[in-house]
Amino acid sequence: MTTKKDENGITITGGEYFDIGQTLDCGQTFRFRREEDGSYVVHSADKVCRMRESGDALRIDTSDPDYFYRYFALDEDYGGYFARLSAMSELKDACEAGRGIRLLRQDAFEMIISFIISANNNIPRIKGIIERLCARCGAPLDDGYAFPTRSELLGLTVSDFTALGAGYRDSYLYSAVRTVTDEFLEELKTLSAQSARKMLLTVKGVGPKVADCIVLFGLGKRDSFPVDTWMKKALGSEELNTAGKIHDFYLRRYGSLAGLAQQYIYNYARTRGQGSGS
């Protein structure tokens, strides 16, 4: 894969290991939409890009090419990752089915709020709540709204979160905005994946699966293995009969590539209709 940045975006050719739809529709981000012409609009923090395929090239139009170069991990060798994971017999089919998936490097605060909203929820509803939250508090952009900053969200009451459709998560969000200070985030980023997970579990409304998602998608720590309904259905057994056991076993097995392995398995399970849930 070759990439070329210019002041108006990024052009990618030979993108065998970058499929837009697979990457965006794999549960790691909620702020994107597919347009009628087949292009995608993606928001992250206060940035926005538009992506479209043309022949064998992928174009990312944005005024923030450096941000989205990092966001889409364009400096990483996904061909090498794919080769290592697909060599494991139990992952071969899942890797082939999801070879275009990339792990996004996203804003940590946005991921904490977004994945609290995601708990026991479905993707259309998650996206709706987040969209309303951005419209209510986020700065306007040329296309849509920025994700609100902590200072902007501090102005909301529990009732405000309720009115946005957060349901029982309203008090969790209110509390999280007060807990997740700049100092909290800075410390979180210095920790190992498992230490960051423990710290996140002190935030009201953050359980093990949500913590693992934040570590993986918001902190960029790839030795994380979120386990939800899909993963329990795909990987559960008589011996691995709890989310905790599945998490620990596969985290040890896949190590530094556990997060990418999880996305391959998650995609494979969902596209074949295994399990239930979001």
Side-chain angles (χ1 to χ4, degrees):
M1 186 172 78
T2 60
T3 61
K4 182 179 180 181
K5 280 191 292 183
D6 58 64
E7 63 182 9
N8 297 312
I10 308 166
T11 300
I12 301 166
T13 54
E16 178 183 0
Y17 299 101
F18 188 5
D19 182 281
I20 305 172
Q22 285 189 332
T23 296
L24 296 178
D25 194 30
C26 214
Q28 54 181 322
T29 183
F30 306 107
R31 296 182 64 214
F32 70 92
R33 68 176 187 270
R34 189 175 190 274
E35 303 284 62
E36 290 185 2
D37 64 0
S39 65
Y40 288 81
V41 176
V42 180
H43 289 83
S44 176
D46 60 349
K47 316 294 185 189
V48 61
C49 74
R50 183 179 292 272
M51 309 172 68
R52 57 172 54 84
E53 292 177 336
S54 178
D56 64 348
L58 169 61
R59 176 66 183 176
I60 303 173
D61 291 315
T62 179
S63 59
D64 298 284
D66 289 340
Y67 183 89
F68 284 102
Y69 188 91
R70 182 182 183 280
Y71 179 88
F72 290 113
L74 297 179
D75 57 334
E76 295 194 52
D77 178 18
Y78 270 75
Y81 299 159
F82 178 89
R84 287 166 59 187
L85 289 174
S86 62
M88 298 182 175
S89 58
E90 79 274 18
L91 283 181
K92 183 178 179 180
D93 289 344
C95 289
E96 288 293 343
R99 87 167 44 224
I101 295 171
R102 303 179 78 84
L103 291 171
L104 303 176
R105 295 171 177 163
Q106 301 182 76
D107 178 79
F109 180 74
E110 179 175 343
M111 291 298 95
I112 291 172
I113 299 302
S114 296
F115 277 97
I116 289 175
I117 290 170
S118 79
N120 299 310
N121 215 340
N122 62 68
I123 288 177
R125 190 163 182 270
I126 297 164
K127 293 178 76 168
I129 296 168
I130 292 173
E131 184 176 344
R132 290 190 292 274
L133 183 66
C134 293
R136 167 72 186 268
C137 299
L141 303 175
D142 289 341
D143 187 332
Y145 296 88
F147 194 88
T149 63
R150 175 175 179 263
S151 61
E152 288 168 336
L153 291 183
L154 281 169
L156 297 186
T157 65
V158 173
S159 295
D160 290 329
F161 284 113
T162 308
L164 292 169
Y168 72 88
R169 307 163 198 82
D170 51 9
S171 62
Y172 296 163
L173 293 166
Y174 179 85
S175 176
V177 170
R178 282 149 183 79
T179 301
V180 183
T181 61
D182 291 343
E183 293 75 19
F184 182 101
L185 286 172
E186 287 308 309
E187 181 178 355
L188 199 62
K189 292 172 184 177
T190 67
L191 300 176
S192 68
Q194 297 314 303
S195 293
R197 184 183 197 256
K198 290 178 182 177
M199 187 172 177
L200 284 163
L201 289 172
T202 68
V203 179
K204 187 177 181 182
V206 174
K209 180 256 184 177
V210 167
D212 286 326
C213 287
I214 296 166
V215 169
L216 181 57
F217 307 131
L219 299 177
K221 299 181 188 296
R222 306 306 171 81
D223 49 337
S224 181
F225 197 84
V227 178
D228 65 357
T229 302
W230 295 104
M231 301 302 288
K232 285 186 280 189
K233 180 69 174 180
L235 301 175
S237 66
E238 186 174 344
E239 183 177 331
L240 302 178
N241 56 7
T242 68
K245 290 178 181 178
I246 294 170
H247 169 273
D248 294 348
F249 178 86
Y250 285 100
L251 185 60
R252 288 193 300 269
R253 175 152 180 76
Y254 300 131
S256 63
L257 291 181
L260 183 57
Q262 189 270 354
Q263 285 283 278
Y264 286 147
I265 298 165
Y266 176 79
N267 171 72
Y268 195 62
R270 280 185 62 200
T271 55
R272 278 148 185 76
Q274 299 177 25
S276 61
S278 62

